[in-house]
Amino acid sequence: MTDGSNEEALYTGLFADDEIASLFGARAQVRTAVAFETALTAALHATGRIGADAKAEALARLSEYTPDFAALEQGGLHDVVFVPAFVRALREGMAAPEAIHTGATSQDVIDTGLVIILISINEIVQRRGHHMLKALEALVDRIGTARMMAHTRMQPAIAIDARHRVGSWATMSEEMLASMNVAANDAALLQLGGAVGDRAAFGDDASAIAAHMADELGLRDPGRAWHTDRQTVVRFASALAVLSGGLGKIGQDVALMAQAGPEVLRLDGGGGSSAMPHKKNPVKAEVLVALARVTAGQVGTMTGAIVHEQERSGAAWMVEWMVLPQMAQATGRGLTLAAELIGQIEAVGQADAPST
Amino acid sequence: MTDGSNEEALYTGLFADDEIASLFGARAQVRTAVAFETALTAALHATGRIGADAKAEALARLSEYTPDFAALEQGGLHDVVFVPAFVRALREGMAAPEAIHTGATSQDVIDTGLVIILISINEIVQRRGHHMLKALEALVDRIGTARMMAHTRMQPAIAIDARHRVGSWATMSEEMLASMNVAANDAALLQLGGAVGDRAAFGDDASAIAAHMADELGLRDPGRAWHTDRQTVVRFASALAVLSGGLGKIGQDVALMAQAGPEVLRLDGGGGSSAMPHKKNPVKAEVLVALARVTAGQVGTMTGAIVHEQERSGAAWMVEWMVLPQMAQATGRGLTLAAELIGQIEAVGQADAPST
Amino acid sequence: MTDGSNEEALYTGLFADDEIASLFGARAQVRTAVAFETALTAALHATGRIGADAKAEALARLSEYTPDFAALEQGGLHDVVFVPAFVRALREGMAAPEAIHTGATSQDVIDTGLVIILISINEIVQRRGHHMLKALEALVDRIGTARMMAHTRMQPAIAIDARHRVGSWATMSEEMLASMNVAANDAALLQLGGAVGDRAAFGDDASAIAAHMADELGLRDPGRAWHTDRQTVVRFASALAVLSGGLGKIGQDVALMAQAGPEVLRLDGGGGSSAMPHKKNPVKAEVLVALARVTAGQVGTMTGAIVHEQERSGAAWMVEWMVLPQMAQATGRGLTLAAELIGQIEAVGQADAPST
Amino acid sequence: MTDGSNEEALYTGLFADDEIASLFGARAQVRTAVAFETALTAALHATGRIGADAKAEALARLSEYTPDFAALEQGGLHDVVFVPAFVRALREGMAAPEAIHTGATSQDVIDTGLVIILISINEIVQRRGHHMLKALEALVDRIGTARMMAHTRMQPAIAIDARHRVGSWATMSEEMLASMNVAANDAALLQLGGAVGDRAAFGDDASAIAAHMADELGLRDPGRAWHTDRQTVVRFASALAVLSGGLGKIGQDVALMAQAGPEVLRLDGGGGSSAMPHKKNPVKAEVLVALARVTAGQVGTMTGAIVHEQERSGAAWMVEWMVLPQMAQATGRGLTLAAELIGQIEAVGQADAPST
C-alpha cells in the first residue's frame, strides 16, 4: 500500500495483499534459504559427510546470519538468483565451508523456498476462506428465506429462496478451498537435485540426505529433483485461479443483483461517483470480477511455463517468479474482499414475476 | 483430416485427432443425451413418479430413436442447445410424454453428456499415455547408458547418462497421467438440477432420482446441481494443458538435442525442406511445442469461463464448448506424436566437454 | 456445419463461418501457392534467369496443375508444409524444372499465401461490417429517440436517448473496421527470402524479382524477408480480436438490456428453454460475448508466437496456423451475428427512475 | 527495487523499471488530474460558463494544491477512483466550487491522465529504442562480417554473414518502434464525456470545451467520449506486447547462439552458478524471453477488457489498471536489457558445416 510517495498508484490498495506480498519479500526469501541450508548441513552430518565441528560452525553461521540485502540483490541481478552471493557470504572465513550448500544448487534453495511459501499461502487462504464461509453462513441466516428471481442466461426464470443462490456460492467455495489443500499438499516437495538434477554429488547418501532434509522441513521427498517438472507448481497456480474465478462468480452475481432491477440487493457501503452522488457502486464486487479475469489470464502464462527445457530453464523459471506471486496476492485479496462484500449484503429484494 | 475437398487446410492433419474429435461429434452428443433421458425415465419410474406403461413407452422411444441431425442442428442454432428439439422429437405422439425429460433442463443433458465424454477422453489419454511410457522404457533400454551433456539454462553443464533426462520425461509424464485420472474421477458427476438448478421439480424424490441416475450412468451424485460451479471441468482442462505442456517439454528437449551441436540426436524420419534437401527437421518435436503453447493459452480462457453468472450462463458455457474439445484433441494428438517421436530416437551423441 | 454425420458437434454452427473457413482450406492454399509460383516464374524470366521456353513450360504446368490433395496432405504431414510435394509434382518430367520455385523456400510460398488470405478475410470483414453499420443506422432510426436509463458500473445513472448507446456502438465499430483496413494493408507484403531469408540465391536480381512478383500479386515488397518478423501478422490478429471484442461489448449490452429489468429490450426471435417455454434467451448476444472471450485468449497466444527463433521457427509458425484461422472465423461469425441481432431489436423500453 | 526491507522479492530488480513505474505512481496520477482540471477550468471560462473570478480562484487552488495522499488513497479504496476525494479537497471552502470539475466525471480525469502517461511511456520507449538500435548498429560494425551458420527450424542450414541475423533484429525493432509511435498517437485523445458519456452537462458548449481542453493538453478531441471504447488503449498494449515479443526473439536467438555449439557467441558478462562456477549464463537473454511470454499473456487479458458494458464498466476498467502498467514496465525493462545484452556480444563464432 502506498505510503504517500510516488512509488505506487493510488488504486494499488484495491488489489494488493500485504500479508501475501510479504511472503515473497526479500526477508522471507532469505528465511527459507537459511532453513534449506540448515536442513542440508544437518543431513550432511547425519550421513557422515561432514564432522561435528564442521556442522557446528555451519549452523552457527546460519543462525547468526544477517543478510546484506543490497549485496544479495546485486548478486541476483548478476546471476538471476541471490543464492551464489548468499552462499559466498555464509562461507566466508569458515574453516569448513563445505558444510554449507555442498551438493546442492541454487534451484534447490529457491524451489524449496517456494514450496515453503506456497504452504504459507495456503494457510492464509484457508483461514480467510473459513472466514468467508462463516460470512456466507451468516448471510443465509440473514436473507436465506427471502424470495428472489432465479436468472438463467440472464433472463428471469423461476422464483427461488435466496439460500439456493447463496448456498451454491458456499458449496462451490468449500470445494475450491479443499482443492487448494490438495494442491498445497501435492506441492509440498523437497527440491534437491544438485547441479544437473541427478543428486550425483551425494553419491549413495542421496536418498538419506533427502529424507533427512524433508523431515526437517516438514516436506516430502519425491525421490528425485523436479527442477524441470513444474506440474505441482502449475496445479497450485491453477487452484488459485479457480478459487479466484469462483470469487469472481460471486462478485458478478452481486453486481447483477445490485442493478436495481427486479432482482434487488441492498448493500451497506459501496463507492460513490464524482458526477452522480446518488449512486452506490458495488466496488468490491467489481474488484472480484477484475481479479478473476486477471488470474485467469495468468494461469495460462503459468501453464505455458511448464516447458522447462533440458535440465534447468532460466526463462520459464522466471515466468513463474513474475506471475505466481501476483496470482497469490490477487486470490488472497479476493478472499478478503469477498468476505467483506458478503457481510455488507443487507437484503435481497422480493422477486417480481418475469416480464413478458 | 481433409478428404481432398476445400473443407480443411492441408496442415490440419498435423494437429487433429479424429478419435477424440468424434467424441464431441453430433452422433456422440445424441448418444449421451439418450443415455441421460433413459436413466431419468428409469429413475422417474423407480420413484413412482411414472407408471410402468409410461416407462415402457418412453424407453421404447429412446431405444428406437433415430436422430434427424439437420433438425437437431437447426434447433441448436435457435436455442443454443439441441435439447428442446430433441425432446420434442422424442415426445411427439407419446401417450405419456411426461415420462421423458420431466424435471430436467437442457443443461442437465448437455453437462452429463460432457462428463461421459470427459471420461472417454481420459480413457484414450491413459491408453496412449501407457503406450508412450512403454516407448520411453524402450528408449532407456536403447540409449540409456549413452553419455550426453546436461544443459542448464541452455548452457552445457556436466555429463550425464541419457537415462537421467529420458527418465525425467517418464516420471513427469506418469504423474501427469495420474493427475488426469484424478481430474476425470473428480469430474464424474451427474448433472441434475432442473430449470434453476434446485431440483425442485422432483420434490422429495430428488435425491433418490439422482442416486438412481448416477448409478445407471456410472457417475456420482454430488447432491446438487453444478450448473454454475465449473471447477471440475476447469480442473480437467488444466490437467489436459499440464499434460500437453509436459509433452511440449519433451518436444523442446528433442528439438534442442537435434540441433547438431555437441548434444547430438539421431532421428529416424523427420521432415524435409524444399530449399535444403539435406535437412531433417524434427517435425513432431515442433508440433509438440506448438500444441503446448496453444493449450496453455486455452486453459486461461477456460479458467476465465468459471465466472458463470446467476443460475446459468449462456456465454461462459459456450466458451467451454469452443475451447475444451480443442484442448482434448491437442493433448490427445500430442500423446500420439510423442510416442512416435520417442520411437524414432536412434541415438544420443557422445557428450563433448563444455566449451570455455 | 455438420452434414448430419458425426464429424462435428451440433453446436458447431453457432460459431463456424464457412466462407472464411474455406479461405484456409486445401483448395485455397493450393490456389495461392500456384499464384506465388506463377509470379516467381514470370519474374525469373523478366530478369533473364530463365528463358522463354522454360517460362512457357512452367506456366503451362502451373495453369494445368490439378492437385492430388491426398498426396499434398501426406507431404504436409511429413514435412510440415505441403510445398516440397507440390513442387515435386509440378516439376516432374519438366525439361527445365528450375523454372519453378528456384531461389524460393516453402515459407515464401506459405506466407505469401497467408497474406493473400488475410486480404480476402479483410474484404469479407469490411463487407459484413458495412452491413452491420447499416443495421445500426436503421436501429437508430427505429429506436434512437426512445428514452432509456444509462448505466455506469452496472448501476442506473441518468436517462439518455437510446441513440447515445447505439451510436457509441457504431462509432466504435467504424473505427475498429478502419483499423482492420490498416492492418490488412500493413500485412500486404510479399514473402520472399529463400532458404535462410537473405534472397542470396537471386544474386543481384533479388530486388527486381521481388518487385516484379509483388506487382503481379498486388502486394508490396518490404525489401527483405519477414520469415521471423511476424509483427504484421500479429497486428492483423490483434485487429481481429479488437473487433471481436467490440462485438462482444454490443452483445454484452444487449444481454444486459434484455434482462427484463427497468432497461427493457424487445427482441424479435431468440432461443427457447426445454424447461421454461416462456423464456426468450438472447442467443446471439451470448454467442458474441463468448466469441470475444475466446479471441481475446487467442490473441495472447498469437502474440507469444512472435518469438520465432533464428532464421525460421517451426513451432511458432505452427501456432499461427492453429490459432489465426479460428480467430478469423470467430470475428467473421461475430459480424454476421451482430448484424442479425441488431436487426432483431424492436424496441427499447422507457427508462424508469433509478431505484433507491 | 527493494531497499532491503521485506517489501519486495530479491529478483524484483530483474524485471522492474523504476522510471516507468513512477509514471503510474500516486504523484504522477495527481499531476495528470491537476492538468485535466486546469484545462477544464480554463475551458469553462473560455466558453463563458464561469467568470474570471471563479476561474482565478480555481486555478489558484489547482496550482497550490498539495495532495494528502493517504486521504486520496482512502477515497480510492472507497470509490475505486480517487477523483471524488480529490475534487472535494480542491473545492473545499471555494466561493465558486463549480469552477472545478463541473460537467466532468471521474473517468474523464483518470482516462485523460492515462493518455498523458501513455505518451510519456512512448517517449521513454522511443528513447531507449533509439539507444538499442545504435547498439545494434555498433554490433554490425563489430561482428557483421563474421560467418555463422543460419538455422531454420533449429537445424543448421547455410552459412551467412552475422549481419544478416543482426540486421533482421534491427529492421524488426525499427518497425515495432514505429508502430509504438502510431499507437501512441492514435491514443492521444482527450477523454471528456461527463456522467454517462454524452457531454450533456456542457450543452452547446461541449465541442468548444473539448477543443479548448485538447489544445491545452496537447491531445486531440475525438468528438465524443470513449469511456467504453477501449480500442486505442488495447492497441497501445498490443504494440507494447509486440515490441516485447520482438525483444524476446532477440533474447531467444542469443540464448541459442550462446549454447556453445557450432554457433558460438561470446558474451562479456553473464551470470554464474552456485554449483558450476565455470558456467556463464546469458541472464539478460533469458529475462527477455520471460518478459515476452508474460506480456503476451497480458495482451490477451487486456484485449478481453474491451468488453466494457453499458456506459461505464468498473470491472473491465480495473483490469486495465492491473495489467497495463506491468506491460509497460516489462517492455521498458526489456529495451534496457536488450541494449545492454547487445553491447555485451563480443564475437560470433565461425560457422561449421552442417552435421550430417
Side-chain angles (χ1 to χ4, degrees):
Chain A
M1 211 168 289
T2 177
D3 58 355
S5 79
N6 71 348
E7 294 283 321
E8 301 206 325
L10 286 162
Y11 49 68
T12 304
L14 288 170
F15 318 123
D17 190 306
D18 289 351
E19 186 180 10
I20 290 177
S22 75
L23 294 177
F24 289 98
R27 223 170 273 283
Q29 282 186 297
V30 171
R31 205 157 40 226
T32 64
V34 168
F36 176 92
E37 299 292 357
T38 301
L40 175 56
T41 294
L44 290 172
H45 177 257
T47 53
R49 297 179 81 87
I50 59 170
D53 288 355
K55 175 191 170 191
E57 183 192 30
L59 294 183
R61 278 290 166 120
L62 284 158
S63 71
E64 288 156 17
Y65 175 66
T66 307
D68 175 348
F69 285 109
L72 293 181
E73 190 190 4
Q74 276 310 308
L77 291 182
H78 185 265
D79 299 328
V80 166
V81 280
F82 67 90
V83 180
F86 166 73
V87 171
R88 271 195 309 277
L90 283 169
R91 284 178 168 175
E92 198 180 338
M94 278 179 66
E98 70 280 6
I100 288 179
H101 196 67
T102 294
T105 194
S106 296
Q107 190 166 3
D108 295 333
V109 181
I110 301 288
D111 279 349
T112 299
L114 172 67
V115 162
I116 294 170
I117 292 167
L118 296 185
I119 292 170
S120 297
I121 290 169
N122 184 51
E123 287 167 358
I124 295 172
V125 162
Q126 296 299 332
R127 169 166 43 83
R128 295 191 195 168
H130 180 76
H131 186 65
M132 184 186 76
L133 291 174
K134 287 280 168 202
L136 282 170
E137 268 179 47
L139 180 60
V140 168
D141 288 347
R142 215 151 61 234
I143 59 135
T145 56
R147 295 294 284 173
M148 58 174 280
M149 184 54 66
H151 281 69
T152 57
R153 298 174 56 193
M154 300 188 66
Q155 295 293 302
I158 289 174
I160 53 173
D161 279 2
R163 75 185 149 199
H164 173 53
R165 180 175 288 180
V166 173
S168 78
W169 297 348
T171 51
M172 174 189 72
S173 302
E174 262 181 283
E175 196 178 325
M176 287 172 175
L177 288 163
S179 171
M180 279 292 308
N181 271 332
V182 171
N185 188 56
D186 284 358
L189 303 176
L190 174 73
Q191 179 67 284
L192 187 70
V196 296
D198 59 2
R199 298 182 173 179
F202 299 119
D204 291 343
D205 295 327
S207 294
I209 288 172
H212 198 283
M213 290 183 70
D215 192 51
E216 174 101 4
L217 293 164
L219 304 174
R220 291 194 312 285
D221 172 27
R224 62 180 186 276
W226 47 276
H227 289 170
T228 58
D229 179 1
R230 315 305 294 179
Q231 61 185 304
T232 53
V233 177
V234 171
R235 279 198 287 267
F236 190 91
S238 174
L240 285 170
V242 165
L243 176 54
S244 183
L247 302 175
K249 186 257 187 296
I250 296 174
Q252 185 70 68
D253 280 358
V254 171
L256 287 165
M257 292 165 89
Q259 285 177 111
E263 184 172 79
V264 173
L265 173 123
R266 202 163 67 234
L267 279 182
D268 171 29
S273 156
S274 71
M276 293 168 289
H278 66 273
K279 286 187 60 182
K280 285 279 183 201
N281 297 316
V283 176
K284 284 164 188 160
E286 295 170 307
V287 179
L288 289 175
V289 174
L291 291 169
R293 291 192 198 172
V294 171
T295 49
Q298 287 168 326
V299 84
T301 305
M302 278 294 294
T303 305
I306 280 186
V307 182
H308 269 242
E309 73 278 355
Q310 298 164 325
E311 276 66 45
R312 184 173 312 141
S313 174
W317 202 25
M318 289 183 215
V319 169
E320 294 180 8
W321 304 351
M322 278 191 262
V323 177
L324 189 55
Q326 295 181 14
M327 294 184 75
Q329 280 197 67
T331 308
R333 177 66 178 150
L335 283 165
T336 302
L337 289 170
E340 291 174 7
L341 176 64
I342 290 161
Q344 284 174 338
I345 299 176
E346 294 182 336
V348 170
Q350 186 64 28
D352 299 348
S355 304
T356 51
Chain B
M1 209 168 291
T2 176
D3 57 356
S5 79
N6 71 347
E7 295 283 323
E8 302 206 325
L10 286 163
Y11 49 68
T12 303
L14 287 169
F15 317 123
D17 190 307
D18 289 350
E19 185 180 7
I20 291 177
S22 76
L23 292 178
F24 288 98
R27 223 170 273 282
Q29 281 187 297
V30 171
R31 205 158 39 226
T32 64
V34 167
F36 176 92
E37 299 292 358
T38 301
L40 175 56
T41 294
L44 289 173
H45 177 256
T47 53
R49 296 178 83 85
I50 58 168
D53 289 355
K55 175 192 170 191
E57 183 192 30
L59 294 184
R61 276 292 166 120
L62 285 158
S63 71
E64 287 156 19
Y65 175 65
T66 306
D68 175 348
F69 285 109
L72 294 182
E73 191 189 5
Q74 276 311 308
L77 292 181
H78 186 264
D79 299 327
V80 166
V81 280
F82 67 90
V83 180
F86 165 74
V87 171
R88 272 196 308 275
L90 282 169
R91 284 178 168 174
E92 197 182 338
M94 277 179 65
E98 71 278 8
I100 287 179
H101 197 69
T102 294
T105 193
S106 295
Q107 189 166 3
D108 296 332
V109 181
I110 300 288
D111 278 349
T112 300
L114 173 66
V115 162
I116 294 171
I117 291 168
L118 296 185
I119 292 170
S120 296
I121 290 169
N122 183 50
E123 286 167 359
I124 295 172
V125 162
Q126 296 299 331
R127 170 166 41 84
R128 294 190 196 170
H130 179 75
H131 186 63
M132 185 187 73
L133 291 173
K134 287 281 168 201
L136 281 170
E137 270 180 46
L139 180 61
V140 169
D141 288 347
R142 214 152 62 232
I143 60 136
T145 57
R147 295 294 284 173
M148 58 173 281
M149 184 54 67
H151 282 69
T152 57
R153 296 174 58 194
M154 298 187 68
Q155 294 292 301
I158 290 174
I160 53 173
D161 281 1
R163 74 185 150 199
H164 175 53
R165 180 175 288 180
V166 173
S168 79
W169 297 347
T171 51
M172 173 189 73
S173 303
E174 261 181 282
E175 198 178 323
M176 287 172 173
L177 287 164
S179 171
M180 279 291 309
N181 271 332
V182 171
N185 188 56
D186 284 358
L189 303 177
L190 174 72
Q191 178 67 286
L192 187 70
V196 295
D198 58 2
R199 298 183 174 177
F202 299 120
D204 292 342
D205 295 326
S207 295
I209 287 171
H212 197 284
M213 288 183 72
D215 191 53
E216 173 102 4
L217 293 165
L219 304 173
R220 291 194 311 286
D221 172 28
R224 61 180 186 276
W226 46 276
H227 289 171
T228 58
D229 179 0
R230 315 306 294 180
Q231 63 185 304
T232 54
V233 177
V234 170
R235 280 199 287 267
F236 190 91
S238 174
L240 285 170
V242 165
L243 176 54
S244 183
L247 302 175
K249 186 258 186 296
I250 296 175
Q252 185 69 68
D253 280 358
V254 170
L256 287 165
M257 293 166 89
Q259 285 177 109
E263 184 172 79
V264 172
L265 173 123
R266 203 163 65 235
L267 279 182
D268 171 29
S273 155
S274 70
M276 293 167 289
H278 66 274
K279 288 188 57 182
K280 285 281 182 198
N281 297 315
V283 176
K284 285 163 188 160
E286 295 169 307
V287 179
L288 289 175
V289 174
L291 292 169
R293 292 194 197 169
V294 171
T295 49
Q298 287 167 326
V299 83
T301 305
M302 278 294 294
T303 304
I306 279 185
V307 182
H308 269 242
E309 75 277 355
Q310 298 164 325
E311 278 64 46
R312 182 173 314 141
S313 174
W317 201 26
M318 289 183 216
V319 168
E320 294 181 8
W321 304 350
M322 278 190 263
V323 177
L324 189 55
Q326 295 181 15
M327 294 184 75
Q329 281 197 67
T331 308
R333 178 65 178 153
L335 283 166
T336 302
L337 289 170
E340 290 173 7
L341 176 65
I342 290 161
Q344 284 175 339
I345 300 176
E346 293 181 338
V348 171
Q350 186 63 30
D352 298 350
S355 304
T356 52
Chain C
M1 208 168 290
T2 176
D3 56 355
S5 80
N6 72 346
E7 294 284 320
E8 302 205 324
L10 286 162
Y11 48 69
T12 304
L14 288 169
F15 317 123
D17 190 307
D18 289 349
E19 185 180 9
I20 290 178
S22 75
L23 293 178
F24 289 98
R27 223 170 272 282
Q29 282 187 296
V30 171
R31 203 157 41 225
T32 64
V34 167
F36 176 92
E37 299 293 357
T38 301
L40 175 55
T41 294
L44 289 172
H45 177 257
T47 53
R49 296 179 82 87
I50 58 170
D53 289 354
K55 176 192 169 191
E57 183 191 28
L59 294 184
R61 277 290 166 120
L62 285 159
S63 71
E64 288 156 16
Y65 174 65
T66 306
D68 174 349
F69 285 108
L72 293 182
E73 190 190 3
Q74 276 311 309
L77 291 182
H78 186 265
D79 300 327
V80 167
V81 281
F82 68 90
V83 180
F86 165 74
V87 170
R88 271 196 308 276
L90 283 169
R91 284 177 168 176
E92 198 181 338
M94 277 178 68
E98 71 278 7
I100 287 179
H101 196 70
T102 294
T105 192
S106 296
Q107 191 166 3
D108 295 333
V109 181
I110 301 288
D111 279 350
T112 300
L114 172 67
V115 161
I116 294 171
I117 292 168
L118 296 185
I119 293 170
S120 298
I121 290 169
N122 184 51
E123 287 167 359
I124 295 172
V125 162
Q126 296 300 331
R127 171 167 38 85
R128 294 190 196 169
H130 180 76
H131 186 63
M132 185 187 73
L133 291 174
K134 287 280 168 201
L136 282 170
E137 268 180 48
L139 180 60
V140 169
D141 288 346
R142 218 152 58 233
I143 60 137
T145 56
R147 294 295 284 173
M148 57 174 282
M149 184 53 66
H151 281 71
T152 58
R153 297 176 56 195
M154 299 187 69
Q155 295 292 301
I158 290 174
I160 52 172
D161 280 2
R163 75 186 149 198
H164 174 54
R165 180 174 288 180
V166 173
S168 79
W169 298 348
T171 50
M172 173 189 73
S173 303
E174 260 181 283
E175 197 179 323
M176 288 173 173
L177 287 163
S179 171
M180 279 292 307
N181 271 332
V182 171
N185 188 56
D186 284 358
L189 303 175
L190 174 73
Q191 179 67 285
L192 187 71
V196 296
D198 59 1
R199 298 184 174 178
F202 299 119
D204 291 343
D205 295 327
S207 294
I209 288 173
H212 198 283
M213 288 183 72
D215 191 54
E216 173 101 5
L217 293 164
L219 305 174
R220 290 193 311 284
D221 171 28
R224 60 179 187 277
W226 46 276
H227 289 172
T228 59
D229 178 0
R230 315 305 295 180
Q231 62 185 303
T232 52
V233 177
V234 171
R235 280 199 286 267
F236 190 91
S238 174
L240 285 171
V242 165
L243 176 54
S244 183
L247 302 176
K249 186 255 187 298
I250 297 175
Q252 185 71 67
D253 279 359
V254 171
L256 288 166
M257 292 164 90
Q259 285 176 109
E263 184 173 77
V264 173
L265 174 122
R266 202 163 66 235
L267 279 182
D268 170 29
S273 156
S274 70
M276 293 167 289
H278 67 275
K279 288 187 56 183
K280 285 281 183 199
N281 296 316
V283 176
K284 284 163 188 160
E286 296 170 306
V287 180
L288 289 176
V289 174
L291 291 169
R293 293 193 195 170
V294 172
T295 49
Q298 287 168 327
V299 83
T301 305
M302 278 295 294
T303 305
I306 279 185
V307 183
H308 270 242
E309 75 277 355
Q310 298 165 324
E311 276 67 45
R312 182 173 314 142
S313 174
W317 202 26
M318 288 183 216
V319 169
E320 294 181 8
W321 304 350
M322 277 190 264
V323 177
L324 189 54
Q326 295 180 15
M327 295 184 76
Q329 280 197 67
T331 309
R333 178 65 178 153
L335 283 165
T336 302
L337 289 171
E340 291 174 6
L341 176 65
I342 290 161
Q344 284 175 338
I345 299 176
E346 293 182 337
V348 171
Q350 186 64 28
D352 299 349
S355 305
T356 51
Chain D
M1 210 168 290
T2 177
D3 57 356
S5 79
N6 71 349
E7 295 283 322
E8 300 207 325
L10 286 162
Y11 49 69
T12 303
L14 287 170
F15 317 123
D17 190 306
D18 289 350
E19 187 180 8
I20 290 177
S22 75
L23 293 178
F24 289 97
R27 224 169 274 281
Q29 283 187 295
V30 171
R31 205 159 39 227
T32 63
V34 168
F36 175 92
E37 299 292 357
T38 302
L40 175 57
T41 295
L44 290 172
H45 176 256
T47 53
R49 297 179 82 87
I50 59 171
D53 289 355
K55 176 192 171 192
E57 182 190 32
L59 294 184
R61 278 290 166 120
L62 285 158
S63 71
E64 289 157 17
Y65 174 65
T66 306
D68 174 347
F69 285 108
L72 294 182
E73 190 189 4
Q74 276 311 308
L77 291 182
H78 185 264
D79 299 329
V80 167
V81 281
F82 68 91
V83 180
F86 165 75
V87 171
R88 271 194 309 275
L90 283 169
R91 285 178 168 174
E92 197 179 340
M94 278 180 65
E98 72 279 8
I100 287 180
H101 195 68
T102 294
T105 193
S106 295
Q107 190 166 4
D108 295 334
V109 181
I110 300 288
D111 279 349
T112 300
L114 172 66
V115 162
I116 294 171
I117 292 168
L118 296 185
I119 292 169
S120 297
I121 290 169
N122 183 50
E123 287 167 0
I124 295 172
V125 162
Q126 297 299 331
R127 170 168 39 84
R128 294 191 195 169
H130 180 75
H131 186 63
M132 185 187 75
L133 291 173
K134 287 280 169 203
L136 281 170
E137 269 180 46
L139 180 61
V140 168
D141 288 347
R142 217 154 57 236
I143 59 136
T145 57
R147 295 293 285 174
M148 58 173 281
M149 184 54 68
H151 282 69
T152 57
R153 298 175 54 194
M154 299 188 68
Q155 295 291 302
I158 290 174
I160 52 173
D161 280 3
R163 75 184 149 200
H164 174 52
R165 181 176 288 181
V166 173
S168 79
W169 298 347
T171 50
M172 173 189 72
S173 303
E174 261 181 281
E175 197 178 323
M176 287 171 173
L177 287 163
S179 171
M180 279 291 308
N181 271 332
V182 170
N185 188 56
D186 284 358
L189 303 176
L190 174 73
Q191 179 67 286
L192 187 70
V196 295
D198 59 1
R199 298 183 173 179
F202 298 119
D204 291 344
D205 294 327
S207 294
I209 288 172
H212 197 284
M213 289 183 72
D215 192 51
E216 174 102 4
L217 293 164
L219 304 174
R220 290 194 311 286
D221 172 27
R224 61 179 186 276
W226 45 275
H227 289 172
T228 58
D229 178 1
R230 315 306 293 179
Q231 62 185 304
T232 53
V233 177
V234 171
R235 280 198 287 267
F236 190 90
S238 173
L240 285 170
V242 164
L243 176 54
S244 183
L247 302 175
K249 186 256 187 296
I250 297 174
Q252 185 69 69
D253 280 358
V254 171
L256 288 165
M257 292 166 89
Q259 287 177 108
E263 184 172 79
V264 173
L265 173 123
R266 202 163 67 235
L267 279 183
D268 171 30
S273 156
S274 72
M276 294 168 288
H278 66 275
K279 288 188 58 183
K280 286 280 182 198
N281 297 315
V283 176
K284 284 163 187 160
E286 296 170 307
V287 180
L288 289 175
V289 174
L291 291 169
R293 292 193 197 169
V294 172
T295 48
Q298 287 167 326
V299 83
T301 305
M302 279 294 294
T303 305
I306 280 185
V307 182
H308 270 242
E309 74 277 356
Q310 298 164 326
E311 277 66 45
R312 182 173 314 142
S313 174
W317 201 27
M318 290 184 215
V319 168
E320 294 181 8
W321 304 350
M322 279 191 262
V323 177
L324 189 56
Q326 296 182 14
M327 295 185 75
Q329 280 197 68
T331 308
R333 178 65 178 153
L335 283 165
T336 302
L337 288 171
E340 291 174 8
L341 176 65
I342 290 160
Q344 285 175 338
I345 299 176
E346 293 181 337
V348 171
Q350 186 65 28
D352 298 350
S355 304
T356 51

